[in-house]
Amino acid sequence: VGAAGASKKEFKSKAEHELAITLMKNGNYDEAFELAQNSYHRFPSNPYHIETYYHCLVRRPHPDHVDLNNLRDAMVNSFDANREIIVQVFDIEKLYFIDGKFMEAIAELREILSKKYPRKNISSALDALRDICKSRESEPIYLNIVREYGY
């Protein structure tokens, strides 16, 4: 079984991760949660699984703060080239989804976007901006900011 079993495990984890991403892109974080959690637990050092699980967990009612902090620490120590931006987005999502600070979260997202990173490097920031604005029925704010910064 050895290598074949490992590749099956990796394939299942990748498939779960991709499905979780698709669900998240459609705003279905509750449906994505278990998939993201399973993928993370199979490969806890994989930054893609860390990020997906964090985004799902922070949006849950009463998320475990220890888990959120552990995921943040794991991302800080990951090999991902965009970890600095991702960790900033983690902090911003916590600021909004847990502390309820809408204006502060928007201001911090604007700060990231003002640095004109390539779009692929800040997709999590754009997703967070979209979700935060959508949760407050403030889609025009999202559209204006995206337009303002050319994304």
Side-chain angles (χ1 to χ4, degrees), residues 52-71:
T52 303
Y53 184 34
Y54 187 95
H55 292 314
C56 289
L57 183 60
V58 77
R59 287 164 172 78
R60 292 186 66 81
H62 314 293
D64 185 309
H65 291 266
V66 171
D67 286 347
L68 289 172
N69 290 335
N70 288 340
L71 290 165

Side-chain angles (χ1 to χ4, degrees), residues 8-150:
K8 241 182 167 177
K9 181 180 174 184
E10 290 171 16
F11 179 78
K12 182 176 182 181
S13 186
K14 182 171 176 52
E16 284 181 341
H17 175 74
E18 293 299 325
L19 181 54
I21 293 291
T22 301
L23 290 166
M24 289 169 42
K25 291 285 185 187
N26 289 312
N28 297 323
Y29 287 89
D30 286 339
E31 290 179 50
F33 176 77
E34 190 173 327
L35 295 167
Q37 184 181 44
N38 289 341
S39 294
Y40 167 74
H41 286 300
R42 276 193 205 94
F43 297 99
S45 63
N46 183 310
Y48 301 111
H49 300 307
I50 294 166
E51 182 178 11
T52 303
Y53 184 34
Y54 187 95
H55 292 314
C56 289
L57 183 60
V58 77
R59 287 164 172 78
R60 292 186 66 81
H62 314 293
D64 185 309
H65 291 266
V66 171
D67 286 347
L68 289 172
N69 290 335
N70 288 340
L71 290 165
R72 185 189 187 283
D73 290 345
M75 183 56 75
V76 166
N77 295 313
S78 78
F79 59 85
D80 193 287
N82 295 311
R83 70 181 169 268
E84 184 179 318
I85 296 168
I86 294 168
V87 169
Q88 288 175 345
V89 171
F90 283 5
D91 293 342
I92 292 166
E93 287 181 334
K94 192 173 182 186
L95 182 68
Y96 176 70
F97 289 107
I98 295 182
D99 300 334
K101 297 184 178 182
F102 178 74
M103 295 307 292
E104 292 90 337
I106 296 298
E108 290 193 28
L109 286 164
R110 280 179 170 278
E111 179 66 28
I112 292 172
L113 298 176
S114 72
K115 294 179 182 172
K116 300 293 186 189
Y117 294 106
R119 186 180 186 102
K120 67 180 181 166
N121 295 13
I122 58 156
S123 63
S124 67
L126 290 167
D127 290 345
L129 177 64
R130 181 196 64 228
D131 291 347
I132 289 169
C133 288
K134 186 175 182 181
S135 75
R136 292 286 292 260
E137 297 181 0
S138 302
E139 287 90 344
I141 293 173
Y142 167 77
L143 295 172
N144 287 335
I145 292 171
V146 169
R147 220 174 288 125
E148 177 182 344
Y149 293 106

